[in-house]
Amino acid sequence: MRLRLREPLLYRWLRLKRALDRRPRSADELATPAIKRILAISCTALGDTLLSTPGLRALRQTYPQAHITLLVHPALQTLFAGLDEVDELIPYDGKWRGFGRLARLLKDYDLAAIFHGNEPQATPLAYLSGARYIFKLPNNNRWNFLLSNREPVVGWDDLGHGIEQRLAVARLAGAQGDFSPRMTVPLSPAGDLALADALAERGWQAATIVALQPGASTMSRRWPRSRFIAAAVALSQKYPELRFVVTGSPAEAALCQEVAAGIAAAAPLVGGIRAWASAGQLPLIALPALLKRASLLVTGDTGPMHLAVTVDTPVVALFAVSDPARSGPGYDPEKHLVIRKWRTCDPCQSKNCPYAEPLCMDNISVDEVIAAVDTILSRKSA
């Protein structure tokens, strides 16, 4: 009962509080030293946070004197520690648990930029931080009354790529100057060392490595594991020197081990290891270095895809339900190859796909992926 009442009670209280709020909100203050404290919210998944870094950079360049706090998912705090664009990271998973504590902690902010966050928590939290200016896109939800950009009402379909959506939020917040779409991530010496040790242990110091990412946040973004294995086996016959690292989160370790074992069994390497599942074995801070070391990454619509783009590693990106124009590689289109096969189920249940291996992703053939990998490897050798 308390959980069911929490949101409507918060909504009514904030409706009243905002109606009585007479603080001045002059647009003349934006992009000036009057903005001293900025709260940035991007506390969801890895890819979402990487997509927010261009917007953070635009804020930093416009407000060099301001203290910028970023709310980031707790699982990503170590990865983004040392991010040049912000002064402080505060962990928050975007859920009700911890909402009250964080609302009491966040005080005296002048401006809040919501790049990506869950509702009904993100916008109320921005308002409770004390921010007089709050910007968010899309702005077509019931918490719109708390935003500085209530009009025009904009939905996801109006915003284009995720990076452009974040940059649009930064522009609303007064950002000026550099709106480069390039994402950033701190490179960790500890991560570099962990990777070097792992490669040395397997004798892969000079190997040509292809990374495979079979997991994804939803089933409808996963290429079948059998296809990953078949593509890697065919590639190893064509390029005997190839090694395959199967990446993923600790929760995806079993899936990654299954793919790596399937490759190793079908394409054994005399005196060495053909495939290695790094999921659960390497810390997250080593993932940027691992993807930078790889020749390319084969992946669905995932956070590691955006991380590979960030560290300038080519990707073969596999799409069906999700739209690469919105969530695919955000720049350098000449470097990356996107294969998209539109969904075949009607209606598509996307995040609630009932199939263990979605039919839409199954439409992407092994031969198509091999050809894309061939193209990228040929470019690199040339």
Side-chain angles (χ1 to χ4, degrees):
M1 177 65 73
R2 288 180 61 192
L3 290 176
R4 289 199 298 269
L5 288 174
R6 184 175 297 174
E7 183 178 345
L9 288 175
L10 179 66
Y11 180 83
R12 292 169 186 165
W13 176 57
L14 288 181
R15 269 285 187 185
L16 177 62
K17 186 176 176 65
R18 181 63 184 86
L20 299 174
D21 188 345
R22 296 291 183 264
R23 291 178 297 170
R25 293 173 171 83
S26 171
D28 293 340
E29 284 191 330
L30 297 178
T32 74
I35 305 298
K36 297 180 172 63
R37 288 172 56 79
I38 297 174
L39 176 66
I41 298 177
S42 188
C43 54
T44 50
L46 170 60
D48 297 324
T49 306
L50 288 166
L51 293 172
S52 297
T53 57
L56 289 167
R57 182 172 59 250
L59 289 180
R60 168 55 70 209
Q61 291 174 348
T62 303
Y63 300 101
Q65 79 294 336
H67 181 94
I68 300 180
T69 299
L70 174 64
L71 298 190
V72 66
H73 194 283
L76 304 177
Q77 187 176 9
T78 56
L79 180 64
F80 287 98
L83 190 66
D84 291 338
E85 289 79 2
V86 302
D87 300 289
E88 177 186 19
L89 295 177
I90 294 180
Y92 178 53
D93 64 2
K95 298 179 182 178
W96 281 123
R97 189 172 69 174
F99 177 89
R101 176 194 62 79
L102 196 54
R104 292 187 293 272
L105 173 67
L106 300 174
K107 298 295 180 186
D108 302 322
Y109 285 91
D110 299 304
L111 182 151
I114 305 173
F115 292 118
H116 202 269
N118 297 324
E119 298 293 1
Q121 293 86 3
T123 303
L125 197 58
Y127 182 75
L128 294 173
S129 75
R132 291 170 291 125
Y133 306 95
I134 303 173
F135 300 98
K136 180 189 179 187
L137 291 172
N139 61 352
N140 57 348
N141 66 64
R142 69 190 302 227
W143 303 96
N144 173 288
F145 68 92
L146 294 173
L147 300 178
S148 301
N149 61 306
R150 298 184 188 90
E151 299 289 343
V153 175
V154 174
W156 279 113
D157 290 340
D158 305 306
L159 292 168
H161 195 276
I163 292 177
E164 289 304 318
Q165 173 254 322
R166 271 73 159 183
L167 289 174
V169 172
R171 287 188 183 94
L172 290 170
Q176 302 169 356
D178 177 18
F179 290 105
S180 165
R182 295 197 170 273
M183 299 175 287
T184 57
V185 66
L187 294 179
S188 163
D192 292 342
L193 182 60
L195 175 63
D197 288 345
L199 295 181
E201 181 181 344
R202 291 160 181 82
W204 284 18
Q205 296 94 322
T208 301
I209 298 173
V210 169
L212 308 175
Q213 171 71 30
S217 60
T218 63
M219 291 303 300
S220 58
R221 299 182 182 191
R222 293 186 179 188
W223 199 41
R225 64 196 75 188
S226 59
R227 298 289 178 92
F228 273 104
I229 294 170
V233 170
L235 286 166
S236 65
Q237 293 169 352
K238 188 170 185 178
Y239 303 98
E241 76 282 3
L242 284 188
R243 308 292 187 271
F244 298 92
V245 59
V246 188
T247 62
S249 68
E252 295 164 343
L255 168 64
C256 295
Q257 289 164 6
E258 180 183 339
V259 172
I263 296 169
L269 183 67
V270 177
I273 299 172
R274 173 74 69 186
W276 163 47
S278 67
Q281 297 191 31
L282 272 183
L284 181 60
I285 55 171
L287 187 57
L290 173 59
L291 293 178
K292 190 175 182 65
R293 173 64 178 77
S295 294
L296 63 100
L297 170 70
V298 181
T299 177
D301 180 7
T302 66
M305 178 195 71
H306 293 295
L307 185 55
V309 173
T310 303
V311 298
D312 293 325
T313 294
V315 301
V316 174
L318 313 179
F319 281 75
V321 173
S322 51
D323 184 357
R326 182 176 296 170
S327 59
Y331 47 86
D332 293 341
E334 73 287 348
K335 180 177 291 187
H336 311 293
L337 293 176
V338 176
I339 302 173
R340 190 188 192 195
K341 293 295 180 70
W342 186 237
R343 64 180 184 233
T344 56
C345 301
D346 187 19
C348 174
Q349 299 182 48
S350 188
K351 293 182 179 180
N352 299 313
C353 178
Y355 298 101
E357 295 192 336
L359 303 182
C360 52
M361 290 294 279
D362 192 54
N363 284 336
I364 299 174
S365 72
V366 170
D367 288 343
E368 288 175 292
V369 172
I370 292 172
V373 173
D374 273 337
T375 298
I376 292 176
L377 291 178
S378 297
R379 289 175 187 169
K380 294 182 79 70
S381 63

